[in-house]
Amino acid sequence: MRIPFSKMQGAGNDFVVLDETRTRYHLRPEHYRFLGDRRYGVGADQILTVRPATQPGVDFAYVIHNADGGEVEQCGNGARCFVRFVQEQGMTDKARIRVQVQHGIIELEALPDGLVTVDMGAPRLDPAALPFVADGLTQRLQGEAELWRLDLSAAGIGAPVEVALVSMGNPHAVLLVDDVMTAPVQAVGPAVQALPAFPNSVNVGFLQVLDRGHVRLRVYERGAGETLACGTGACAAVVAGIRLGLLDSPVQVDALGGTLRIAWQGGDAPVLMSGPATTVYHGEIDLPDHPWLPDVSKVPA
């Protein structure tokens, strides 16, 4: 099956974008893994699929798959690329559009300066919303936020970590660190994800506060590993930082791949994310009926 695609990126978070508004490709998880693979396929952190809306008053729907083939609930950087894609493909002439994602509706606006603002909706602050299983775990209060103590000794990490929990339609655990560049992201990220406390896994953010309006952030994502930027991770980190009493809205978030601007006024107010979205190239790919990828876990060290 030969299918067209667009390669896009937002702050270094890269995507394969597919148009299924006229034809459904009926792809399986192994197809998404093939598309996301950087050696055998196109290569991307996530694959975004544009589909027709199924609700009145909504412009489009879109589905998000991680590079491991699993479907996920939300992707902030992908949402910005989504806007650019439907505009550039002539699918809409609106600057502001409403889009269905897995757990609701988000509003997106393309700005005259080339940036895109996404209304990500209000954060969910109940740990059960992630979901999070708190059995046997302890917490302490800092500001308005709970910090949960996680034991990572099963992964060979001696010191426990404390995380603030935020759902932006997808789950996030945010750790405060002194320096994101020396933080043990590759060890602590998967160790936190593997804990029984996170039955659906979790995105793990490593947050360094520079001042009350400026932070640095690295995120170890579910199904993708560390990415150059994570839009929902930036939103979750700023929400956590504000609730911990460390930040004031708006906040500049410096990710490895670029800069995002996050605004949140607290409570049930929506989180607003602004940042870049760029088309890299368009192409076509022959997608095998039964794509095969090597199991790199079996490669000797």
Side-chain angles (χ1 to χ4, degrees):
M1 176 171 55
R2 189 171 183 82
I3 63 171
F5 68 89
S6 293
K7 180 68 180 285
M8 304 188 74
Q9 63 88 13
N13 200 186
D14 65 335
F15 308 95
V16 169
V17 188
L18 307 177
D19 177 5
E20 287 191 344
T21 56
R22 292 175 290 272
T23 302
R24 288 289 293 270
Y25 300 130
H26 302 290
L27 304 184
R28 302 186 301 275
E30 57 265 34
H31 290 119
Y32 295 112
R33 289 196 297 271
F34 186 87
L35 286 168
D37 189 86
R38 299 185 185 277
R39 293 177 176 84
Y40 289 84
V42 181
D45 295 321
Q46 281 93 21
I47 297 90
L48 314 178
T49 304
V50 186
R51 293 178 180 168
T54 60
Q55 300 180 28
V58 179
D59 298 290
F60 298 97
Y62 93 105
V63 179
I64 309 152
H65 287 83
N66 275 339
D68 68 352
E71 185 176 347
V72 292
E73 306 92 340
Q74 181 60 288
C75 177
N77 289 324
R80 297 199 314 277
C81 289
F82 181 98
V83 177
R84 286 286 175 232
F85 179 83
V86 296
Q87 288 180 327
E88 291 174 357
Q89 295 296 311
M91 300 164 69
T92 184
D93 58 2
K94 296 180 180 180
R96 182 188 293 269
I97 62 174
R98 302 182 77 236
V99 179
Q100 295 172 230
V101 291
Q102 190 181 98
H103 286 168
I105 308 296
I106 58 174
E107 295 192 0
L108 322 171
E109 183 179 9
L111 304 177
D113 61 3
L115 299 182
V116 176
T117 293
V118 182
D119 180 337
M120 300 294 291
R124 296 181 65 185
L125 304 173
D126 176 8
L130 270 73
F132 175 70
V133 180
D135 296 350
L137 300 179
T138 60
Q139 57 168 298
R140 67 180 179 89
L141 192 66
Q142 178 175 323
E144 298 178 347
E146 299 166 336
L147 286 169
W148 291 88
R149 189 174 187 269
L150 304 179
D151 181 359
L152 304 181
S153 58
I157 298 171
V161 298
E162 290 186 319
V163 298
L165 304 177
V166 179
S167 173
M168 290 303 309
N170 59 351
H172 291 270
V174 181
L175 293 75
L176 294 172
V177 298
D178 293 329
D179 184 346
V180 291
M181 299 314 297
T182 59
V185 173
Q186 302 299 326
V188 171
V192 171
Q193 290 179 342
L195 292 173
F198 300 104
N200 291 347
S201 192
V202 69
N203 300 292
V204 186
F206 298 77
L207 175 65
Q208 177 186 355
V209 176
L210 300 176
D211 61 44
R212 298 192 68 83
H214 190 189
V215 302
R216 293 179 180 144
L217 180 70
R218 292 171 67 184
V219 181
Y220 195 93
E221 295 194 47
R222 293 184 303 175
E226 185 177 9
T227 56
L228 292 180
C230 176
T232 56
C235 294
V238 169
V239 168
I242 290 173
R243 298 187 73 237
L244 289 165
L246 304 174
L247 301 174
D248 300 312
S249 179
V251 178
Q252 176 180 318
V253 180
D254 294 338
L256 295 179
T259 297
L260 302 173
R261 180 181 180 274
I262 310 297
W264 181 56
Q265 299 306 317
D268 293 330
V271 181
L272 303 178
M273 175 186 60
S274 300
T278 304
T279 298
V280 181
Y281 62 88
H282 306 288
E284 292 186 344
I285 185 171
D286 288 316
L287 200 58
D289 290 338
H290 301 284
W292 172 88
L293 294 174
D295 184 353
V296 295
S297 67
K298 302 272 195 311
V299 176

